[in-house]
Amino acid sequence: MTNSASETLIEMQNVDKFFGTFQALKNINLEVKRGEKIVVCGPSGSGKSTMIRCINRLEKHDQGHIIIAGKELTDDVKDIDAVRREVGMVFQSFNLFPHMTIVKNLMLAQRLVRKINKVEARETAMHFLERVKIAEQAEKYPVQLSGGQQQRVAIARALCMKPEIILFDEPTSALDPEMINEVLEVMTDLAKEGMTMICVTHEMGFARSVADRVIFMDAGEIVEEAEPEEFFKNPRNERTKKFLSQILTH
Amino acid sequence: MIFDLSLIADSIPKMLAGIGITFQLMALSAFLGLILAVILLLMRISGKWYLSWPAQVHIYVFRGTPILVQIFIIYYGFPQFEFIRESIFWPILREPFGCAVVALSLNTGAYVSEILRGGVLGVDRGVLEAGSALGLSARHKFIYLTTPIAARLALPAYSNDFISLMKATSLASTITLMDMTGIARTIVAQTFAPYEIFISLAIIYMVLTWGIQKTFGRIEKYLSRYVKP
């Protein structure tokens, strides 16, 4: 794999997704290059989460093509596993393994998926726990940590797999306000280091300072796609304008 | 009425001589029943009708009939069939002890598989999705995520079934086994003192239940160490 900056890591072509008769995604076309940071926003039910969940096959798309780091997602389990190894994900509700200590949370997939030995897996785990400034909590259980701490652990857990891409599905929506910044700081650091990121979030400050592009979705479609400056100053679509006026006036 | 305390003092040690059989019935049936329960559970959640369907039939049949009837069918009914008498299971089914263990295992297996299924269904979907996102296979997710979490969720209901099983071992006395209840019935037949004997017997079962409760309480505490303090 080359490291050229223009290399396309994520490609979605004409992707449709149905839940029963409800069309959750309509003709999604998206291209993300290595190192790009994309922020996805839009009203609830607009398909933002569904879109990024299709990227690591937590949802199966019905039409179109999704190609991740050169591998197309099909029903082939091998390809799905290969893609999941390259794509990390951080969830709204953290989804840590409740029955394992923090450090074991970070070691499990390294051991089972990457086949890394215990000592090395623990070293990697501690390295990333230090990076999210939470190493002293390594032997605790998730329930003993605050929401913000749990989310930082979840980010560290994704990083342990050394992914090419990290997907964030509303990572701060379940947090108390005073904990949002500690998570956004970690995300901002990651962005600065050149991680390829797609973040579904309504943190517009984060979008402004970090995103290369902002995508606005509504009713399963990508309605608008622009650089943050342009997106916030001159939204072209009526739906975008309405949405921005609703979330920015408070 | 007069309560003959010396009779109680005499008969309790005699009944306790049968505690070994009670324990053997309980331990063997619990062990085999748990294995059966896991197999039935895997069949049920396999998503394949030809596995799920037989498991559901088994569960329906054994939950839908009294254990006593199941014991009678196995003990009195099976030997009528030549193919059973000629099968490799005959050495087990020829003995009342074997019949009791088979009946109790099949019965508890049906109940416990449903208890385990409740635990499996209770596992947070988000946790399993996180496992998928990290690239864990379905098998790894089942072993490392679903099993430990479901075990904790299922434990209170399982301890309940375990106590039921312990008490159900007394039904083995109806097919000539000399467990505690079997001995008690013999003593009653000799002494015509049902109150003293059966009340003593009831107290022994209650003490056993207390011990089982305590043990499961400890296990539950251990498995819940990661739940909110």
Side-chain angles (χ1 to χ4, degrees), chain A:
Chain A
M1 210 173 283
T2 60
N3 257 328
S4 70
S6 60
E7 183 197 348
T8 299
L9 275 187
I10 302 174
E11 206 172 348
M12 300 179 86
Q13 300 166 348
N14 309 98
V15 171
D16 288 340
K17 163 79 190 162
F18 293 85
F19 291 112
T21 55
F22 173 73
Q23 188 164 8
L25 295 179
K26 288 174 197 160
N27 196 29
I28 298 290
N29 285 285
L30 177 69
E31 204 185 313
V32 182
K33 296 197 189 313
R34 181 182 295 279
E36 269 195 306
K37 295 108 190 95
I38 312 290
V39 161
V40 184
C41 60
S44 73
S46 59
K48 315 171 294 262
S49 290
T50 307
M51 181 176 81
I52 67 166
R53 287 163 61 87
C54 281
I55 293 173
N56 67 349
R57 194 66 165 198
L58 288 183
E59 303 289 354
K60 184 182 166 190
H61 59 286
D62 296 307
Q63 291 288 330
H65 303 277
I66 301 178
I67 300 146
I68 311 295
K71 282 219 169 54
E72 172 153 13
L73 277 171
T74 61
D75 285 331
D76 191 330
V77 179
K78 275 211 180 97
D79 286 342
I80 296 173
D81 287 345
V83 165
R84 283 176 176 169
R85 274 197 290 272
E86 304 305 331
V87 182
M89 187 163 203
V90 175
F91 300 85
Q92 180 177 2
S93 47
F94 329 135
N95 293 346
L96 297 179
F97 307 138
H99 57 300
M100 295 181 184
T101 58
I102 299 306
V103 68
K104 295 242 167 80
N105 259 274
L106 273 64
M107 289 166 66
L108 183 74
Q110 292 189 65
R111 306 258 296 128
L112 297 177
V113 181
R114 295 261 191 228
K115 314 277 181 217
I116 292 170
N117 70 52
K118 231 181 194 163
V119 177
E120 218 175 300
R122 181 173 278 273
E123 266 171 28
T124 307
M126 292 311 294
H127 168 76
F128 283 109
L129 283 178
E130 261 156 43
R131 261 188 58 179
V132 300
K133 304 183 186 74
I134 212 161
E136 71 282 1
Q137 313 282 4
E139 300 303 329
K140 290 192 179 168
Y141 286 99
V143 72
Q144 295 169 293
L145 272 55
S146 72
Q149 290 174 323
Q150 288 193 49
Q151 195 59 298
R152 278 145 62 200
V153 171
I155 295 171
R157 182 174 66 176
L159 289 173
C160 280
M161 301 300 284
K162 316 261 167 77
E164 301 263 4
I165 304 155
I166 299 194
L167 310 171
F168 292 87
D169 190 1
E170 306 209 30
T172 57
S173 303
L175 295 176
D176 292 331
E178 75 271 20
M179 293 173 185
I180 290 176
N181 277 334
E182 62 189 67
V183 172
L184 290 181
E185 267 169 36
V186 170
M187 291 168 63
T188 307
D189 285 348
L190 267 183
K192 279 185 195 148
E193 287 160 25
M195 177 63 77
T196 310
M197 298 162 62
I198 302 185
C199 312
V200 173
T201 181
H202 290 154
E203 294 296 333
M204 290 304 138
F206 175 79
R208 245 184 252 264
S209 63
V210 171
D212 296 309
R213 269 183 291 156
V214 180
I215 287 174
F216 174 73
M217 289 183 72
D218 190 25
E221 292 174 298
I222 294 181
V223 174
E224 190 149 349
E225 186 173 347
E227 289 178 11
E229 187 85 353
E230 181 74 8
F231 182 84
F232 291 109
K233 269 197 191 136
N234 301 313
R236 266 164 286 170
N237 192 291
E238 280 309 311
R239 286 188 278 182
T240 319
K241 283 180 196 165
K242 191 167 161 243
F243 177 75
L244 286 176
S245 73
Q246 278 165 342
I247 62 165
L248 293 178
T249 47
H250 302 293

Side-chain angles (χ1 to χ4, degrees), chain B residues 76-225:
Chain B
Y76 296 115
F78 279 11
Q80 318 252 330
F81 298 101
E82 177 140 7
F83 72 90
I84 285 180
R85 287 201 304 275
E86 281 167 4
S87 76
I88 51 163
F89 300 112
W90 184 237
I92 296 166
L93 293 171
R94 195 173 52 193
E95 304 293 335
F97 183 83
C99 288
V101 168
V102 168
L104 291 170
S105 303
L106 292 174
N107 186 278
T108 192
Y111 278 94
V112 172
S113 82
E114 284 295 277
I115 289 171
L116 297 181
R117 197 169 69 94
V120 168
L121 294 178
V123 176
D124 181 7
R125 243 190 89 202
V127 167
L128 298 176
E129 277 188 349
S132 303
L134 286 164
L136 300 188
S137 66
R139 199 167 60 91
H140 281 151
K141 279 187 289 178
F142 191 81
I143 296 172
Y144 292 95
L145 303 179
T146 304
T147 301
I149 296 172
R152 180 182 69 78
L153 296 175
L155 197 69
Y158 179 68
S159 77
N160 214 8
D161 188 80
F162 198 93
I163 290 168
S164 297
L165 171 68
M166 188 274 288
K167 292 181 297 184
T169 58
S170 66
L171 295 172
S173 67
T174 59
I175 51 170
T176 75
L177 272 180
M178 280 299 145
D179 72 324
M180 295 193 297
T181 304
I183 294 171
R185 288 171 59 186
T186 315
I187 301 173
V188 169
Q190 291 160 355
T191 60
F192 307 107
Y195 277 115
E196 285 88 341
I197 306 302
F198 284 135
I199 287 173
S200 312
L201 179 65
I203 289 169
I204 297 176
Y205 279 113
M206 271 161 67
V207 171
L208 289 185
T209 300
W210 179 83
I212 294 172
Q213 265 176 10
K214 280 278 159 201
T215 309
F216 274 98
R218 288 227 175 124
I219 302 173
E220 203 175 320
K221 212 169 155 194
Y222 173 73
L223 289 181
S224 303
R225 66 199 179 285

